[in-house]
Amino acid sequence: QDVVWGSGERSGLLSHTESELVLGKIYELLGVLGEVHPSEMVSNSEKLYKAYLGELKQQMTSSTKEPKLFVVAGCLRGITALLVNFTKTMEEDPVTSKDIFQYTLKTISPQMEMSRYAVTIGKIYF
């Protein structure tokens, strides 16, 4: 079955870039839901933090592949939104606070072995 995408038609699944973009937007949306409707997200905020940090760990610590920057950006935006109503202080949860800090720091000062293309795209989206 053909699906309309943008200006043309094609059949099949999303490309890698499109699926990364969609996943990043889903992560961002979940965080925004925690910001806008905290009462609906109270029971899921810890699970969401674990999902964000698990994804960031996978993306930012792989030695074999470059991070999917749309996904990383979505996670960081989602965490930022989630932190509005579900704070994580060093006293409350030192491990999560440290992880958030470390992954944020890695995106600010990326490793030098990343390709020029990845660094350029990262600067655009961060």
Side-chain angles (χ1 to χ4, degrees), residues 41-53 82 86-88 93 96:
M41 297 296 285
V42 164
S43 60
N44 295 313
S45 64
E46 289 301 318
K47 293 177 197 171
L48 198 48
Y49 273 115
K50 286 182 183 180
Y52 284 135
L53 295 175
L82 194 63
F86 301 99
T87 59
K88 290 289 185 182
D93 192 344
T96 301

Side-chain angles (χ1 to χ4, degrees), residues 95-110:
V95 173
T96 301
S97 297
K98 180 183 172 194
D99 287 346
I100 292 170
F101 175 77
Q102 285 181 331
Y103 295 131
T104 304
L105 185 62
K106 281 187 178 197
T107 61
I108 294 170
S109 53

Side-chain angles (χ1 to χ4, degrees), residues 25-92:
K25 291 297 184 182
I26 290 170
Y27 279 127
E28 183 177 355
L29 175 64
L30 289 171
V32 170
L33 287 174
E35 179 181 5
V36 178
H37 297 289
S39 60
E40 301 294 326
M41 297 296 285
V42 164
S43 60
N44 295 313
S45 64
E46 289 301 318
K47 293 177 197 171
L48 198 48
Y49 273 115
K50 286 182 183 180
Y52 284 135
L53 295 175
E55 185 69 51
L56 287 171
K57 180 179 181 179
Q58 181 182 2
Q59 296 297 325
M60 302 303 291
T61 61
S62 175
S63 60
T64 58
K65 57 184 177 180
E66 291 184 7
K68 297 174 183 173
L69 298 176
F70 290 120
V71 175
V72 171
C75 286
L76 292 175
R77 289 179 185 140
I79 286 175
T80 301
L82 194 63
L83 282 168
V84 170
N85 292 309
F86 301 99
T87 59
K88 290 289 185 182
T89 64
M90 283 298 289
E91 293 78 26
E92 294 172 342

